[in-house]
Amino acid sequence: MKPARKGWRHLIDATGYSIRGLKAAARHETAFRQELALCAPLFLLALWIGSEPVEWILLLGSCLLVLVVELLNSAIETVVDRIGPEYHELSGRAKDIGSAAVMLALAAAGLTWSLLAWQKFMA
């Protein structure tokens, strides 16, 4: 076990690990790259659709939620794949549950964007 770092050193190390994780996801996970590419223009669009800070938070937060859930799903899939290539019912279930979480996050984001866009353009 490595010695525990404290204070600023711990914060710096943790930030480095997080950046390394983001780079790994961008390099190895197609779904993460696709969702990241979708979120980039949506961030700009959110500033136009939203008319107040709470709406901006909802729009941007829903995009970030999708990315966070995708990162967690990718982590689950990576650990399951590390265990072994042979099929196991529990491994398949873990991957399916992670995928379901991403689907629900995407649905929540789609609902948020749809309702706020409807409010701006149709109301």
Side-chain angles (χ1 to χ4, degrees):
M1 186 175 196
K2 64 182 179 181
R5 298 218 165 136
K6 297 182 182 192
W8 288 104
R9 186 75 239 168
H10 172 75
L11 181 62
I12 291 167
D13 289 348
T15 302
Y17 301 143
S18 297
I19 291 169
R20 187 168 48 180
L22 287 170
K23 286 179 180 179
R27 186 178 313 119
H28 300 288
E29 300 297 329
T30 303
F32 183 76
R33 285 193 304 273
Q34 292 169 340
E35 291 156 355
L36 195 58
L38 180 62
C39 284
L42 287 179
F43 272 36
L44 296 174
L45 189 59
L47 299 175
W48 181 55
I49 290 178
S51 58
E52 52 189 66
V54 171
E55 293 177 351
W56 298 330
I57 290 169
L58 288 169
L59 293 167
L60 298 175
S62 66
C63 286
L64 290 174
L65 176 67
V66 169
L67 295 175
V68 167
V69 175
E70 184 61 51
L71 287 169
L72 294 171
N73 181 48
S74 296
I76 290 168
E77 289 182 350
T78 300
V79 169
V80 168
D81 291 345
R82 164 66 175 87
I83 291 170
E86 68 280 347
Y87 175 79
H88 190 280
E89 179 185 347
L90 294 176
S91 296
R93 189 183 313 162
K95 287 184 169 192
D96 291 347
I97 291 170
S99 179
V102 173
M103 182 184 69
L104 290 176
L106 286 165
L111 181 63
T112 301
W113 278 84
S114 297
L115 290 174
L116 288 172
W118 177 270
Q119 177 182 324
K120 177 164 181 88
F121 300 116
M122 302 299 184

